[in-house]
Amino acid sequence: MLPYIGSGPYCYANSSAMLLETIGEKVSPAVLEVLSGVGIGAMWHEEQKVIYFGQVIPDRGVSHALELLGFRWTERSGAAEGEPPLEELRRDLERGPVLLGPLDMGYLTYNPNAAYLGGADHFVLAYEMDEQAIYLHDPAGFPFVSLPLSQFVLAWKAEKIFDRLFSYHYWTAPERVGSPSEEKLAANALRLFQGIYQESASMEPKASVLHGKEAILRVVKRIEGEGGLSPAEIGHFSYFAFQLGARRAMDFAVFFSKHSPELAAIKEKQAKQFGGCHTLIVEKNEQELAKAMRVLADIEEEFRQVLCAK
């Protein structure tokens, strides 16, 4: 298995790793990403015309990872129509850093690309707050940045993030209460991943949301039967989805390698297929991309079947 080390959009995994380091716990972002379960499966949203190569949103995934690793923590959120709980956040920050998210990237004005990122979700570590600003480590490459509270409140409300569960959401004060063995951690993670597939299988079928293989084939239909991908879809694949999918799949392969070589081999194959899809979208070769995504759909179904048979 050929390892990969590099940057990428692992914002909640990187922020979770930073939060745990503040209490002396070193957990790699790769492990946190896998244990979140966010990269399991695929989901197509018909209204937004977008596919995500995962079925769990990070709002839940961070908590999944912390629980599997044996931590307890404080988690807070608020109603979008309510007042932002700035004083509560201030009190928590006086005790230690907090992991904030989802935040709407369009309001993160220290990012020079913020104007083009409205509605995209993001997760950061906050370490201080005064009357004018909040101070952050943003894992997208912006350490020790500040954000005016007026902008922060808009980002924290997350009103334009269509799949958010919460507004004004954050995690803080992690504390280790258990130390699962490698075997126990792997077994519990497998149960989480199986549960994610089982949950989507139990949902009432509807055309507005598709899961797994069918979600990926819906993109193939967009390419072959609906006049091709829109500029927004091309941007989503070119700058985000395929490269993230490849990295996630490789991290899953490493995680599975010791305890489930069959699953590891499928995930490694999937990682390579994601990389091939990325190359094709950048080359604007949609005809070959459709063929490659059919293969990707088959790999996704193979993984689901093998996982759920365990």
Side-chain angles (χ1 to χ4, degrees):
M1 190 179 299
L2 185 66
Y4 169 79
I5 300 172
S7 62
Y10 267 28
C11 60
Y12 54 88
N14 287 328
S15 295
S16 298
M18 287 191 285
L19 180 64
L20 292 176
E21 282 230 18
T22 66
I23 62 166
E25 295 279 356
K26 292 186 179 295
V27 184
S28 78
V31 169
L32 287 159
E33 179 70 34
V34 169
L35 295 180
S36 75
V38 174
I40 291 291
M43 184 161 53
W44 165 265
H45 293 269
E46 185 67 32
E47 184 179 350
Q48 286 78 24
K49 295 291 188 292
V50 67
I51 189 171
Y52 293 105
F53 295 109
Q55 296 174 193
V56 173
I57 60 175
D59 311 35
R60 293 292 191 208
V62 170
S63 300
H64 288 158
L66 293 175
E67 182 176 13
L68 286 171
L69 287 164
F71 293 98
R72 67 182 174 197
W73 63 95
T74 297
E75 188 171 348
R76 306 193 197 279
S77 61
E81 60 273 14
E83 289 296 314
L86 288 173
E87 290 310 310
E88 185 174 53
L89 176 61
R90 191 186 308 277
R91 288 192 296 271
D92 281 328
L93 279 168
E94 288 171 356
R95 302 183 188 101
V98 309
L99 196 173
L100 291 162
L103 303 180
D104 187 328
M105 293 185 78
Y107 297 108
L108 304 182
T109 49
Y110 55 78
N111 185 328
N113 292 317
Y116 307 102
L117 299 173
D121 65 330
H122 198 47
F123 294 76
V124 304
L125 189 80
Y127 61 89
E128 190 177 339
M129 180 176 162
D130 58 28
E131 296 303 319
Q132 289 77 42
I134 190 164
Y135 299 85
L136 311 169
H137 275 353
D138 182 328
F142 305 102
F144 294 109
V145 290
S146 62
L147 185 66
L149 291 184
S150 59
Q151 290 295 113
F152 168 62
V153 166
L154 294 171
W156 198 24
K157 189 174 184 179
E159 197 169 27
K160 297 178 184 177
I161 298 173
F162 80 92
D163 60 349
R164 66 172 167 82
L165 289 179
F166 311 105
S167 289
Y168 311 128
H169 187 222
Y170 65 97
W171 297 258
T172 190
E175 178 185 4
R176 182 171 286 286
V177 293
S179 298
S181 66
E182 273 192 30
E183 293 76 13
K184 183 72 171 176
L185 182 61
N188 288 342
L190 282 176
R191 281 194 286 273
L192 169 66
F193 304 153
Q194 290 165 345
I196 292 168
Y197 280 121
Q198 290 162 2
E199 182 178 358
S200 62
S202 69
M203 293 178 180
E204 184 177 343
K206 51 185 179 180
S208 60
V209 179
L210 299 173
H211 294 95
K213 179 178 180 178
E214 295 306 314
I216 300 171
L217 291 177
R218 181 68 185 88
V219 179
V220 175
K221 184 179 178 181
R222 293 277 297 156
I223 298 170
E224 295 181 336
E226 297 180 9
L229 301 173
S230 69
E233 290 172 286
I234 292 170
H236 175 65
F237 287 128
S238 300
Y239 293 99
F240 182 73
F242 287 142
Q243 58 186 285
L244 175 59
R247 183 177 178 185
R248 276 179 176 160
M250 199 64 217
D251 285 339
F252 272 100
V254 172
F255 181 80
F256 285 130
S257 60
K258 185 179 294 186
H259 302 286
S260 184
E262 185 179 9
L263 289 175
I266 297 170
K267 277 294 179 182
E268 185 173 8
K269 179 170 60 173
Q270 187 184 54
K272 292 176 180 178
Q273 195 67 19
F274 273 124
C277 288
H278 176 81
T279 302
L280 291 168
I281 191 71
V282 173
E283 291 175 347
K284 299 181 173 60
N285 190 341
E286 289 196 13
Q287 183 177 357
E288 290 302 315
L289 176 63
K291 295 177 184 177
M293 290 196 71
R294 286 189 184 278
V295 175
L296 193 64
D298 288 338
I299 296 171
E300 162 58 26
E301 180 60 16
E302 179 187 8
F303 177 78
R304 185 194 67 80
Q305 289 184 5
V306 173
L307 174 73
C308 292
K310 288 189 171 291

